Amino acid sequence: MRIALTTYSTKPRGGVVHTLALAEALAAAGAEVSVWTLGRGGDRAFFRPVDPRVDVRVVEFAARDGEDVGERIVRSIEVLHAGFDPAGYDVVHAQDCISANAVGRCVRTVHHLDTFTTPQLAACHERAIVEPFAHVCVSGAVARELADGWGISATVIPNGVDAARFARADPGRWRDRFGRYVVAVGGIEPRKGSLDLLRALALLREELPDVRLVIAGGETLFDHRDYRVRFDRLAGELGVDPVVLGVVDEEELPGLVAGAAAMGFLSTKEGFGLAAMEALAAGVPLVTRELPVLREVFDGAALFAAEPPGMAQAFRSAIGTPDPDRVVRGRELAARHTWTAAARTHLELYRRLTDTHPGGSR
């Protein structure tokens, strides 16, 4: 079976990480897999090496000065559409809004649902939901949102995680560098709940003043500069001096996560929580927001809270009186989520779809 997976970037965002891991697992299962993406800022390859069994196609996307977010996304769709060649694939599977708009008839994974007020972005989001002929969600909670909002029935296929990579990580140099710290992965942006994380850390530090906040990641298409100004202002007001690392090298990330006293995963919207699952694989206590999707995925393995005071209390419990049984449950949960299983279920879906829809997604 020949499969094209499409994504919007070469950078280490959750959907891109998912796309590459799934592609490699599908190739290991015997499929012929191509990954198509846009090469932003001169990129000609992904943020990490990709299994040579996967055919990587990077479509050049030149930077353009003065372009706002809506214009950049519309141009992203146009450039990927012009560069993508669907010929010969049994299945074209888009992993995000941009590539779903760009590649035509396809299967679509809806990782999470967004709310946009800009007409261009709202229209892009809507088309990427209603036009694909089949849908995958990485959690039941998001599948229920699709069913309730659009009457769409999606196949639920949870993410995998490279649990062994995080379980064997050496945290030493990061602990030497930062001491006791809470880690957050994904950058500073509204969807990641970064302001609530600051507020929670300020409350936590009233009792545990040595705990630092370390934030990794942050590559995104959206312009969060105003939010970052608010974040920096609030950090100063609260007396929290976060360490903002930006994008961390792929080889360094497991050690950074494993060295943390806890992970703060306080997203306001999520589809699964891959970074949080990686923390559990490393044996790191997880504090996450009280959301249906995160309760579905992490119940029994994480501490949940809805507001900063409760989040601070959860961090206090996780760091001050860690629960070894919860750590064991977290490691076991991560170990059950394999990319091999995810690839097998995807292949079963693809076979059903190609039997039902001759010609697949072309």
Side-chain angles (χ1 to χ4, degrees):
M1 177 174 285
R2 291 202 64 210
I3 302 158
L5 301 182
T6 64
T7 187
Y8 69 99
S9 177
T10 57
K11 308 296 186 184
R13 295 295 287 182
V16 180
V17 171
H18 168 105
T19 303
L20 294 182
L22 176 59
E24 291 170 330
L26 289 168
E32 295 182 52
V33 185
S34 298
V35 175
W36 291 77
T37 191
L38 291 171
R40 302 176 186 278
D43 282 358
R44 297 183 180 276
F46 280 99
F47 66 94
R48 67 164 177 84
V50 180
D51 187 319
R53 290 174 292 187
V54 176
D55 172 41
V56 173
R57 307 290 185 95
V58 179
V59 178
E60 183 180 355
F61 185 83
R64 184 174 292 176
D65 293 338
E67 193 173 46
D68 66 25
V69 172
E71 292 167 340
R72 185 161 62 250
I73 288 177
V74 169
R75 188 165 64 90
S76 297
I77 293 167
E78 293 171 347
V79 170
L80 186 55
H81 176 75
F84 177 67
D85 181 4
Y89 295 113
D90 299 300
V91 173
V92 175
H93 189 164
Q95 298 293 325
D96 53 79
C97 169
I98 287 171
S99 65
N101 274 266
V103 300
R105 185 167 165 77
C106 63
V107 181
R108 164 82 198 281
T109 291
V110 180
H111 292 272
H112 68 273
L113 291 162
D114 285 304
T115 302
F116 295 112
T117 56
T118 304
Q120 290 169 313
L121 301 185
C124 169
H125 184 263
E126 184 72 11
R127 286 194 304 270
I129 291 172
V130 301
E131 292 186 358
F133 78 100
H135 299 75
V136 174
C137 291
V138 293
S139 62
V142 177
R144 287 189 292 276
E145 288 186 74
L146 272 186
D148 292 344
W150 288 269
I152 291 171
S153 178
T155 300
V156 177
I157 307 178
N159 272 325
V161 63
D162 189 351
R165 179 167 164 259
F166 283 81
R168 65 174 179 261
D170 180 5
R173 86 174 189 88
W174 295 103
R175 288 177 181 166
D176 291 344
R177 180 177 175 184
F178 296 131
R180 194 158 61 161
Y181 63 94
V182 169
V183 69
V185 176
I188 298 167
E189 58 183 80
R191 188 172 71 84
K192 295 300 180 182
S194 304
L195 296 182
D196 280 349
L197 179 62
L198 271 181
R199 296 182 181 105
L201 260 292
L203 293 170
L204 172 68
R205 284 164 56 86
E206 291 177 3
E207 294 188 32
L208 301 175
D210 65 314
V211 176
R212 303 182 73 181
L213 173 59
V214 178
I215 300 175
E219 179 65 38
T220 179
L221 284 177
F222 297 100
D223 184 352
H224 297 306
R225 284 176 293 185
D226 289 345
Y227 189 83
R228 178 61 188 269
V229 169
R230 292 173 59 198
F231 179 91
D232 290 342
R233 183 184 303 120
L234 181 62
E237 292 170 356
L238 295 174
V240 178
D241 184 20
V243 179
V244 182
L245 297 173
V247 176
V248 174
D249 186 83
E250 182 72 1
E251 296 303 314
E252 299 286 348
L253 183 62
L256 173 67
V257 172
M263 171 174 274
F265 194 78
L266 306 182
S267 300
T268 60
K269 289 179 180 289
E270 279 294 341
F272 179 83
L274 184 55
M277 193 67 77
E278 291 168 342
L280 294 183
V284 174
L286 174 64
V287 175
T288 192
R289 191 180 295 271
E290 183 66 75
L291 296 178
V293 61
L294 298 179
R295 180 66 74 169
E296 172 193 335
V297 176
F298 297 111
D299 199 16
L303 294 167
F304 296 85
E307 300 294 339
M311 295 165 183
Q313 180 57 49
F315 281 124
R316 197 174 297 116
S317 297
I319 296 171
T321 55
D323 180 349
D325 291 337
R326 188 179 293 113
V327 171
V328 170
R329 290 194 296 271
R331 288 189 185 273
E332 291 174 345
L333 176 66
R336 291 197 297 271
H337 284 80
T338 70
W339 286 112
T340 299
R344 182 172 58 247
T345 310
H346 275 85
L347 286 170
E348 291 169 356
L349 172 64
Y350 297 155
R351 293 186 187 106
R352 290 198 304 271
L353 292 174
T354 53
D355 288 344
T356 305
H357 304 270
S361 56
R362 298 189 298 281

